[in-house]
Amino acid sequence: MTPRTRADLETIPAYVPGKSYPGAIKLASNETTHGPLPSVRKAIEEAVDQANRYPDNGHIALIAALADYLGVPAANIAAGCGSVSLCQELVHATCKDGDEVVFAWRSFEAYPVVTQVAGAVPVRVPLTADHGHDLDAMLAAITDRTRLIFVCNPNNPTGTALTKAELERFLDAVPPHILVALDEAYFEYNRSDLDGITLLHDRPNLVVLRTFSKAYGLAGIRVGYAIADSALIATLGKVHITFSVNAVAQAAAIASLEASDELLARTDGVIAERGRVRDALRSAGYEVAESSANFVYLPLGAQSRPFAAASAEAGVLLRPYEDDGVRITIGDPHENDAFLAFALSEDTRSIAKVGAQR
């Protein structure tokens, strides 16, 4: 007889990461193409020498470094194994069976997964016609069972971003007993006027999530952080998985903060390439969502999977989203050139059902 597990888990979709094949150009997972700086690599090597010791479960040195860097008290910061683990902790901290979690759709693939694993109910609110958050519809979706709202800004996978005024109006309309998680995983690529940390004052129901996985280039090491009211931070500590932020991750994050100017300067090149790829695609007749992240999104509908499959055959891996669209990570110029050579060909435009406008 097999062990008895929760029957409802059969209905929960597994998170699907971007694919990777030897020799292929991977533009599927929103990773940076740059490895750790020498100073960060040195910190990693030194941390490995202490791998026989448990990591600091309170993340004291990392949180102190973040507090200094962000200009917020240490009591308002929590660390996690990537920001996705903090998403899961937030659901566990706010929801019981049958409670509801509201988020835009399509958005980060992990939101419905972490919601359902906790026994809560995901409430998907369709995006606007221009692939952004429909904040009015999200407010209308709130019920007496709503406990948590995720707002991914810039949104993954569409890349669209809210303005400060739009988000402030939304936050002012959300009942104060409902927690709003502003997921800023791509914050460093966004050049809008919105910085979630500046909105935390007098909003104890707001938590801002960020990560070292994207612009800081530590996706393989896994470390993220949350900034919120100290009472919520204390609550997150009660549902935190012990020792889940390993010692190497903590050391790498601290060293990355010390080298933040050099690391974040890299984002300017990504943004320039993002504009180049967007403009080339639009000139060829593609609809391209306006992105503020390190990727672009093509809303290809039913052609999404055939387009991504053909790209893989051409040696460039992309991320399709069922019958919604395809996300393309901005890589190095030669990688982007390889994608554009595929996307702008007559055969590919036939698959995508777009016409040239040149």
Side-chain angles (χ1 to χ4, degrees):
M1 179 180 291
T2 58
R4 181 176 298 174
T5 58
R6 285 170 44 190
D8 66 305
L9 292 180
E10 295 183 6
T11 68
I12 298 176
Y15 179 82
V16 180
K19 294 180 180 180
S20 181
Y21 298 128
I25 295 173
K26 186 182 179 187
L27 302 179
S29 297
N30 297 345
E31 301 147 325
T32 179
T33 59
H34 300 287
L37 293 174
S39 60
V40 178
R41 185 182 299 274
K42 180 180 178 182
I44 290 171
E45 292 172 351
E46 291 175 353
V48 168
D49 287 340
Q50 298 296 317
N52 57 308
R53 304 294 184 184
Y54 284 107
D56 173 16
N57 192 54
H59 323 115
I60 293 173
L62 172 57
I63 288 175
L66 283 166
D68 182 64
Y69 180 75
L70 300 170
V72 300
N76 295 98
I77 303 172
C81 183
S83 57
V84 66
S85 73
L86 292 160
C87 291
Q88 185 164 13
E89 289 175 10
L90 287 169
V91 178
H92 284 290
T94 57
C95 295
K96 296 184 292 186
D97 285 355
D99 288 337
E100 295 174 350
V101 178
V102 175
F103 48 85
W105 197 251
R106 187 169 285 271
S107 194
F108 183 31
E109 295 286 293
Y111 294 155
V113 176
V114 298
T115 297
Q116 291 178 260
V117 166
V121 178
V123 178
R124 299 171 175 85
V125 178
L127 297 170
T128 62
D130 59 358
H131 316 292
H133 281 71
D134 189 336
L135 296 179
D136 289 335
M138 292 176 72
L139 289 171
I142 294 173
T143 71
D144 60 358
R145 297 308 303 267
T146 305
R147 298 292 179 267
L148 176 63
I149 301 172
F150 283 113
V151 177
C152 186
N153 189 70
N155 186 48
N156 177 20
T158 62
T160 51
L162 298 165
T163 67
K164 182 179 180 181
E166 288 171 334
L167 186 61
E168 284 183 313
R169 181 180 64 83
F170 175 76
L171 293 173
D172 290 343
V174 173
H177 68 279
I178 297 174
L179 184 64
V180 178
L182 178 61
D183 186 348
E184 293 189 321
Y186 300 94
F187 170 77
E188 291 82 5
Y189 298 102
N190 188 4
R191 296 299 186 264
S192 79
D193 63 346
L194 179 52
D195 178 343
I197 294 176
T198 66
L199 303 180
L200 288 168
H201 183 66
D202 292 333
R203 285 192 173 93
N205 68 326
L206 175 64
V207 54
V208 176
L209 304 177
R210 293 186 183 169
T211 183
F212 286 89
S213 295
K214 309 302 180 185
Y216 285 92
L218 299 182
I221 290 182
R222 313 303 303 130
V223 58
Y225 57 98
I227 313 99
D229 183 81
S230 59
L232 177 62
I233 296 299
T235 299
L236 287 177
K238 297 179 180 180
V239 296
H240 179 71
I241 298 177
T242 305
F243 300 129
S244 60
V245 187
N246 67 70
V248 172
Q250 293 185 48
I254 293 169
S256 294
L257 287 175
E258 293 172 352
S260 61
D261 288 346
E262 184 176 356
L263 284 166
L264 297 183
R266 297 173 172 178
T267 62
D268 292 334
V270 173
I271 290 170
E273 280 294 290
R274 181 182 73 197
R276 182 175 75 89
V277 171
R278 176 201 60 210
D279 292 347
L281 289 168
R282 286 179 174 171
S283 295
Y286 287 91
E287 177 187 354
V288 186
E290 192 60 46
S291 176
S292 294
N294 66 331
F295 52 85
V296 295
Y297 181 76
L298 304 180
L300 295 176
Q303 304 309 117
S304 299
R305 282 176 284 191
F307 183 91
S311 183
E313 286 289 326
V316 182
L317 304 178
L318 313 176
R319 179 67 182 270
Y321 289 86
E322 298 178 353
D323 290 335
D324 292 333
V326 177
R327 188 190 69 195
I328 304 100
T329 304
I330 300 301
D332 289 334
H334 75 277
E335 295 175 322
N336 302 329
D337 287 341
F339 164 69
L340 288 174
F342 159 76
L344 302 186
S345 71
E346 294 293 339
D347 288 345
T348 302
R349 283 186 291 165
S350 175
I351 295 172
K353 296 184 177 180
V354 298
Q357 297 178 350
R358 289 181 283 184

